[in-house]
Amino acid sequence: MVDEAVRVFHVSPARARAWVRRFYAGFLAFYVAVELGMVGWTLATTPAAHRLRFWLPSALIMGVFTLVILRGAGRSARRLVTYQLTMGPNVLRMVQEGLVPTELFRRDVTRIVELSSALRIVYGDGRFVGVPRFLEG
């Protein structure tokens, strides 16, 4: 018997990339601000002859960290595109590359919290799953 109420939702690739870019851009901007704050602090507290000992390793670390962040952003966008939500009358299934598939039954849900970017479905003893708002279908 086929359940006609079952629907499958996916994440739009363009919206997934946009969300990941926004998230990582904010994270990277925060990191750059911290680094600039540290440089400003060394200007005030470190003699000029010793500043390069701090700035060169700091610049190298910042460059490596920036590359890691950019690589992580690409990987996160590719992974987010694999998100699949299947909804039936009494069950919710979420599958995504790199994560354990989750199956949630209606009887287990204790509350649903609406957030600006997702729905947080609380179940069991306080555990929760998130459902993004930018699903297609």
Side-chain angles (χ1 to χ4, degrees):
M1 182 171 144
V2 176
D3 188 358
E4 296 299 323
V6 171
R7 296 206 43 198
V8 178
F9 302 93
H10 297 276
V11 174
S12 160
R15 293 183 82 180
R17 282 191 291 276
W19 183 86
V20 167
R21 281 187 192 127
R22 251 190 339 266
F23 176 79
Y24 279 97
F27 189 69
L28 196 55
F30 174 75
Y31 179 70
V32 168
V34 168
E35 282 291 325
L36 291 176
M38 288 174 52
V39 166
W41 178 74
T42 60
L43 283 174
T45 61
T46 307
H50 299 290
R51 288 184 192 145
L52 280 180
R53 279 193 217 157
F54 172 77
W55 288 349
L56 288 178
S58 181
L60 178 65
I61 290 169
M62 184 176 176
V64 168
F65 187 74
T66 301
L67 291 175
V68 168
I69 290 294
L70 294 174
R71 185 173 178 216
R75 192 177 313 131
S76 293
R78 286 189 300 274
R79 187 177 297 150
L80 189 57
V81 170
T82 65
Y83 181 89
Q84 178 180 330
L85 174 72
T86 306
M87 287 179 45
N90 293 312
V91 68
L92 177 80
R93 289 183 190 93
M94 289 175 282
V95 180
Q96 184 175 357
E97 176 187 326
L99 299 177
V100 176
T102 303
E103 187 170 86
L104 183 62
F105 293 96
R106 180 184 295 260
R107 67 179 179 270
D108 298 332
V109 174
T110 56
R111 71 176 192 250
I112 298 174
V113 180
E114 289 190 46
L115 304 172
S116 61
S117 62
L119 294 175
R120 179 180 290 169
I121 302 172
V122 182
Y123 66 98
D125 55 352
R127 294 176 290 169
F128 65 90
V129 295
V131 178
R133 287 191 181 266
F134 52 88
L135 294 175
E136 287 188 338

